[in-house]
Amino acid sequence: MLDADDVRKAVPMTAAIDAVREAFLDLAAGRFEVPQRLSFADATTLVMTACHKPTSATVVKTLNLAPGRTPMILGTLVWNTAEGQVVADAVEVTTLRTGAASGVATDLLAPPTASRLALLGTGAQAADQVRAVAAVRTLRQVSVFGRDLSRAQALADRLGAEFPSVAVRVARRASDAVGDADVVCCATSSETPLFGVDDLPERVHVNAIGSYRPSMRELPPELLATAGCVVVDQIAAAMAEAGEVIHAVETGLVERGSLVELGTALGDPPVVGGRTVFKSVGLAVQDWAVGRLLGEAAARARL
């Protein structure tokens, strides 16, 4: 059983980004079997699985989410191959692989010179969003916004210590945080948009990874309607779980056919300009990608 520290020692963020990028390309090429995520008890228990057809390696992850509990998320990841099995802390894998997906999308869609990041949310996913963007862009400034000012300040202090060359500040309002951002990362469970489309610069990339139910919406619908490119991890998953995307499609603001899956975009990079969006609800192929790295690390440790 690999605990959180073991996961971090085995898989640095840069390696996770490379592995997740490769997994999305394999997904687009049809090399994965990925059943729809199972959700129980009002999405408080989730089960995710994926099988890589060329290798027959599989991953199974279970998560239990209890708002108000510390930690809010508990879970286990099991990586299976013909050679053996690795069991790991699923919470650490989830934050790492979710950050890695934002890193992949940011590297694809954000301006090469992007240096200002707005982070909306102070929960378990937040720090890895910064780590991922910092792995693909040279950050000079991070603006942190959270509903609880003391939590936002505590996170800003931790990020400042981890990234001493980056100016980290706390924003009093979400609109203040995003106003001069090159990249925005939303990592909340909000059921209402966090900011207005007019609060954003004309050229900005937005990652939204927090909402995972149809009732949740971090982004304003006008952003999806006017963005130059809206990328999702998987269209079927987004239409089942991403509240922003479901609302935009059902109200006619966005055509389902205009959505681009991340794996497809990686294989045929879009010409981007203006505002771009990456909306993710999380796929088991991301867990598989990190599980593969954990399996390789475990095999090396046995030699």
Side-chain angles (χ1 to χ4, degrees):
M1 176 69 184
L2 304 179
D3 63 17
D5 289 340
D6 295 328
V7 171
R8 291 291 171 176
K9 290 175 184 175
V11 185
M13 179 58 76
T14 52
I17 290 172
D18 289 342
V20 166
R21 180 186 291 111
E22 183 178 347
F24 272 108
L25 286 166
D26 274 2
L27 177 65
R31 299 189 182 107
F32 275 103
E33 292 181 33
V34 191
Q36 186 66 39
R37 172 163 49 199
L38 296 176
S39 176
F40 305 101
D42 194 26
T44 57
T45 297
L46 306 173
V47 181
M48 304 174 68
T49 63
C51 176
H52 188 242
K53 291 187 281 189
T55 62
S56 297
T58 63
V59 69
V60 178
K61 184 178 78 172
T62 61
L63 291 177
N64 177 259
L65 297 84
R69 179 181 67 195
T70 303
M72 186 186 83
I73 306 174
L74 296 171
T76 302
L77 178 140
V78 181
W79 162 261
N80 291 293
T81 69
E83 289 74 35
Q85 185 180 81
V86 173
V87 181
D89 180 272
V91 177
E92 207 67 24
V93 171
T94 299
T95 60
L96 179 59
R97 61 81 149 156
T98 304
S102 291
V104 172
T106 299
D107 198 28
L108 177 69
L109 299 170
T113 57
S115 63
R116 297 183 299 269
L117 170 65
L119 174 65
L120 309 185
T122 59
Q125 302 276 10
D128 273 322
Q129 294 296 303
V130 178
R131 294 175 185 130
V133 176
V136 299
R137 293 293 184 272
T138 302
L139 289 180
R140 291 190 294 105
Q141 174 184 302
V142 174
S143 300
V144 179
F145 168 77
R147 290 176 299 177
D148 184 321
L149 186 60
S150 62
R151 282 172 58 97
Q153 187 61 60
L155 176 59
D157 291 343
R158 292 198 303 273
L159 292 172
E162 185 172 348
F163 298 98
S165 63
V166 179
V168 183
R169 71 180 185 94
V170 173
R172 297 278 178 169
R173 296 187 298 270
S175 57
D176 293 337
V178 305
D180 65 347
D182 302 309
V183 179
V184 176
C185 289
C186 303
T188 78
S189 58
S190 179
E191 296 192 349
T192 58
L194 299 170
F195 50 84
V197 68
D198 292 336
D199 295 325
L200 292 169
E202 289 299 318
R203 179 69 174 102
V204 65
H205 171 65
V206 180
N207 298 305
I209 59 89
S211 62
Y212 58 94
R213 295 191 218 172
S215 61
M216 296 177 175
R217 281 194 278 163
E218 295 182 291
L219 305 180
E222 296 83 5
L223 173 58
L224 297 180
T226 60
C229 186
V230 178
V231 175
V232 296
D233 41 17
Q234 185 184 56
I235 292 173
M239 290 304 301
E241 299 178 342
E244 301 96 331
V245 176
I246 295 169
H247 173 76
V249 171
E250 289 182 346
T251 57
L253 289 172
V254 173
E255 293 185 6
R256 176 174 174 146
S258 70
L259 302 173
V260 182
E261 294 189 339
L262 181 56
T264 301
L266 289 167
D268 184 17
V271 178
V272 296
R275 295 164 178 157
T276 55
V277 173
F278 172 58
K279 173 58 199 168
S280 174
V281 294
L283 298 181
V285 300
Q286 298 163 240
D287 301 305
W288 185 94
V290 175
R292 175 176 65 83
L293 297 180
L294 293 174
E296 291 172 354
R300 289 194 298 271
R302 289 194 298 268
L303 295 177

